[in-house]
Amino acid sequence: MAKLLILNCDDFGQSAPANEAIMHLLEERRVSSATIMTPAQGFDQAADWCRRHPEASIGLHLTFTSEYDAVRFSSLTGRPSLQDTDGYMYKTVEAFERGSVKADVVAEMNAQFDAVNRAGIAVTHADNHMGSLYGIVTGRSYLPQVFWQCSRRGLPFRLFRHIDPEEALTANAPGVEATLAKAVALCDTLGVAVPDYLLSHPYGIEPGETYDSFKAMLIAKLYALPEGVVETYIHPALPDADLGARIPNWEKRVWEYKLMLDPDFAAAMQEAGVQLTDYRYVAEKLRRPRLGSAFRLAKLALGRG
């Protein structure tokens, strides 16, 4: 079985330096796709590029948090439960989970999907900024609502069918296997395709980490990639003195941009037998039969899975 990798650029639309980096990587075909943030101030620039490049795989980065003072933004709907006292989306996932109201979250999801449609972008998938919809902090998950949104539109969503034992972020989480099984069964029942695996790496610069050690770590992941369709995501950006001084770990974003253009990374991809793919492939090849999935979901709900 082939090793297929989706390299997705998150935060398309966050800022001009992020947009420029992502557009360059997409044009050079060094990455598979990007997901766009409709509430962010760089959305119009990103959307203009998308209209001129309909061949690109562009997803919707469902956004409910605005974590940086340097680039804060408000919800599209202006619903009070989705914003802090300053009128911006919450800075943390915990604040969003505790403050949000389900009806307002659904309304904002619809507004963000409507925004990409009005911009003339035929999105190929969806994912979620900072994992705010997953219920990671308090258990208040909005995944059923987002799965329904994707089902209505025939879109895949960033989840993962299997847990890679080498993926510390998920493999060691308490109860993750049972929770994941139910989520995947619901996706399958609703006809929402998902990749086989999701791999991550630390967002910030680790103690003692350098560009060279970061590069070596990601190249090692290429050689250890499980068979199937794997997604990993990056947040590339160009060097920028202002944002670099005001946004933590901006240098890591610059490293990610640099690595995608590094000939050593391209050579490792080829030597490891890894092929880039995108969410169009996921939509076409990875949907599961819905009736059988509904029976599996019912068994899991009754504790018989």
Side-chain angles (χ1 to χ4, degrees), residues 36-201:
I36 195 166
M37 308 174 83
T38 56
Q41 56 262 55
F43 171 69
D44 288 341
Q45 180 192 25
D48 179 67
W49 184 92
C50 292
R51 285 190 295 271
R52 292 183 284 107
H53 294 84
E55 74 285 354
S57 175
I58 302 297
L60 175 60
H61 202 47
L62 287 161
T63 302
F64 290 88
T65 49
S66 177
E67 65 271 36
Y68 300 124
D69 288 330
V71 285
R72 298 213 72 190
F73 29 83
S74 304
S75 67
L76 299 185
T77 57
R79 300 285 180 101
S81 83
L82 303 180
Q83 301 183 164
D84 60 21
T85 54
D86 294 324
Y88 297 111
M89 287 182 165
Y90 297 111
K91 285 188 174 182
T92 67
V93 172
E94 180 176 2
F96 165 74
E97 288 185 18
R98 294 190 186 282
S100 57
V101 172
K102 184 189 297 185
D104 293 348
V105 173
V106 172
E108 182 67 21
M109 287 183 194
N110 279 315
Q112 294 188 21
F113 275 110
D114 288 345
V116 290
N117 287 337
R118 286 195 306 272
I121 305 168
V123 293
T124 59
H125 60 293
D127 60 23
N128 174 220
H129 184 55
M130 293 182 68
S132 58
L133 300 174
Y134 288 72
I136 295 169
V137 181
T138 68
R140 291 194 66 208
S141 168
Y142 292 107
L143 286 180
Q145 287 73 35
V146 76
F147 294 164
W148 175 243
Q149 294 288 332
C150 290
S151 176
R152 290 173 54 203
R153 297 167 173 86
L155 297 175
F157 183 73
R158 174 188 286 163
L159 194 63
F160 48 98
R161 187 169 298 278
H162 309 293
I163 298 172
D164 185 346
E166 301 299 319
E167 181 67 8
L169 184 66
T170 52
N172 300 325
V176 66
E177 291 188 3
T179 301
L180 177 63
K182 290 178 182 178
V184 170
L186 180 56
C187 278
D188 291 342
T189 300
L190 293 173
V192 177
V194 299
D196 294 309
Y197 295 93
L198 180 67
L199 301 185
S200 62
H201 59 270

